[in-house]
Amino acid sequence: MSDDDPAVQETQPFGSFQYEIYARGLIDERPKLPIAVADLEERARELLSPEAFGYVAGGAGSERTVRANLEAFERWEIVPRMLRDVAQRDLSGSLLGTALPAPVLLAPVGVQSIVHPEGELAVGRAAASLGLPAILSTAASHTIEQVAEAMGDASRWYQLYWPKDRDLAASFVARAGEAGYSALVVTLDTWMLGWRPRDLQNAYLPFLKGEGIANYLSDPVFRAALERTPEEDPGAAIGHWAYEFANPSVTWDDLVWLREQTSLPIVLKGILHEDDARRAQDAGMDGLIVSNHGGRQVDGSIAALDALPGVRAAVGQDLAVLFDSGIRTGADVFKALALGADAVCVGRPVVWGLALDGQAGVEQVLRCLLGELDLTLALSGYTTISQLDRDTLRRAA
């Protein structure tokens, strides 16, 4: 049985991945892709078109929020503890009924076909190979059902961009339930697109080219609203997508209707204010994702990590709290968990891995992240995620 056999990987600490890499060095074999995320991004910049790279890497306005998300992690320092038995570590747990081998999910990222033709199919298979849940975006290049088939029995969540037509929203939610998705993530911060200079400079919105709208084009409610099928008149179908996507009139009151549509746990993505967190809890939501959409929506927004402790304090331990926006390393994951997250979602690094080597590229990115998290945990003196809290960190001078 080789080291590449999944049965072997399941019994080894995630940090053992580094020894696989070193062992291959004995036969002069180096990793095909860069290990550091910054190097991955630079390699992707060289490979992708300026339009595709700009769409993934870019943010709103001056991109101050993108930078703030990364800089927020530098304001916290890990304080390692010594002479503790850390030979055996266990990063596993569960969240809203979903088993997690580690507190990491793949964030919902749309339009993945602009960086690799297999897009969400490759990402889903990579997540499944490691037992990590993937969150599928409504704005996917492959359908709810196609991704479910690619992932098999692996855990998966569905992210809803709430369209204007309630019947269409209900259809998306029903399709996700029928296809075996185990939670519903509702994005709150993208009822309309933010001001994104990179995309504007390139006059590039991939949806208008038919990319990232597979779930719409395949939906019976969406198709019934068209005079001719999307195959017969793609321009009209894209126009109807544009009409349906922007929906800034949704309010807290509409969550009552959504709750009636599904028995799945509902997680609200985009929470940054303590009062909104409390209101979500009062509305009977099952979880929150502290996120500013990776800095893609509001320029000058609070960094997501800076909002995390307050959100956790507002809802206590009774509500699942996830974190998104700025995760690049295992140390970042450690810090987010210590500041109150139950788990994190990783986005852009996954896309860079996908762009460079499809499923294998995503698998390397994830194994690197998990390996670094495992080693950071052990070298800081801890063996389980539950041991992490604010006392494991200190505020940087």
Side-chain angles (χ1 to χ4, degrees), residues 42-334:
E42 189 56 35
R43 183 80 66 85
R45 182 198 298 270
E46 297 169 358
L47 175 69
L48 296 173
S49 70
E51 293 82 3
F53 179 82
Y55 186 84
V56 177
S62 67
E63 301 187 351
R64 178 180 175 184
T65 307
V66 178
R67 296 190 297 273
N69 283 337
L70 304 180
E71 292 166 357
F73 285 95
E74 298 178 5
R75 291 194 284 274
W76 293 98
E77 298 172 336
I78 299 169
V79 185
R81 303 297 301 275
M82 298 298 127
L83 292 176
R84 295 179 172 185
D85 183 355
V86 294
Q88 303 294 325
R89 282 95 60 198
D90 183 3
L91 277 64
S92 66
S94 64
L95 191 65
L96 300 179
T98 298
L100 301 173
V104 174
L105 297 85
L106 280 69
V109 178
V111 210
Q112 293 180 14
S113 60
I114 66 173
V115 305
H116 191 282
E118 288 200 315
E120 297 85 4
L121 302 178
V123 169
R125 289 194 297 264
S129 74
L130 294 169
L132 300 176
I135 308 175
L136 178 70
S137 172
T138 295
S141 301
H142 297 87
T143 68
I144 293 168
E145 295 78 12
Q146 289 170 334
V147 175
E149 182 179 0
M151 294 191 69
D153 295 331
S155 297
R156 50 191 177 268
W157 294 7
Y158 173 69
Q159 175 268 335
L160 176 68
Y161 280 125
W162 195 322
K164 279 192 177 74
D165 185 347
R166 273 193 170 184
D167 289 340
L168 179 56
S171 182
F172 284 154
V173 171
R175 288 170 62 189
E178 292 167 1
Y181 292 76
S182 56
L184 177 66
V185 176
V186 184
T187 294
L188 306 182
D189 57 17
T190 313
W191 303 115
M192 60 188 79
L193 296 178
W195 184 260
R196 302 174 184 174
R198 294 202 207 195
D199 298 337
L200 291 165
Q201 190 63 52
N202 289 321
Y204 180 71
L205 187 62
F207 307 107
L208 300 183
K209 297 178 180 291
E211 300 274 8
I213 60 174
N215 284 318
Y216 295 83
L217 300 184
S218 61
D219 193 273
V221 173
F222 183 90
R223 294 174 72 92
L226 302 173
E227 293 185 3
R228 292 189 291 172
T229 68
E231 294 76 21
E232 295 170 326
D233 191 349
I238 292 171
H240 189 55
W241 165 84
Y243 168 79
E244 286 288 356
F245 180 80
N247 187 17
S249 64
V250 177
T251 71
W252 291 98
D253 294 338
D254 293 302
L255 294 177
V256 176
W257 174 86
L258 184 64
R259 179 72 282 174
E260 294 171 349
Q261 307 308 308
T262 181
S263 61
L264 296 177
I266 299 177
V267 179
L268 302 185
K269 180 176 182 286
I271 297 293
L272 295 168
H273 196 287
E274 294 91 333
D275 289 347
D276 287 344
R278 295 186 190 96
R279 190 156 188 180
Q281 189 172 36
D282 292 342
M285 299 296 100
D286 301 285
L288 310 172
I289 301 181
V290 177
S291 168
N292 57 31
H293 215 93
R296 295 171 61 78
Q297 285 298 93
V298 177
D299 192 26
S301 165
I302 183 175
L305 192 70
D306 289 341
L308 176 59
V311 168
R312 169 52 83 187
V315 300
Q317 297 301 316
D318 296 332
L319 205 64
V321 174
L322 294 83
F323 174 84
D324 168 276
S325 299
I327 295 292
R328 298 293 183 269
T329 69
D332 292 343
V333 179
F334 182 106

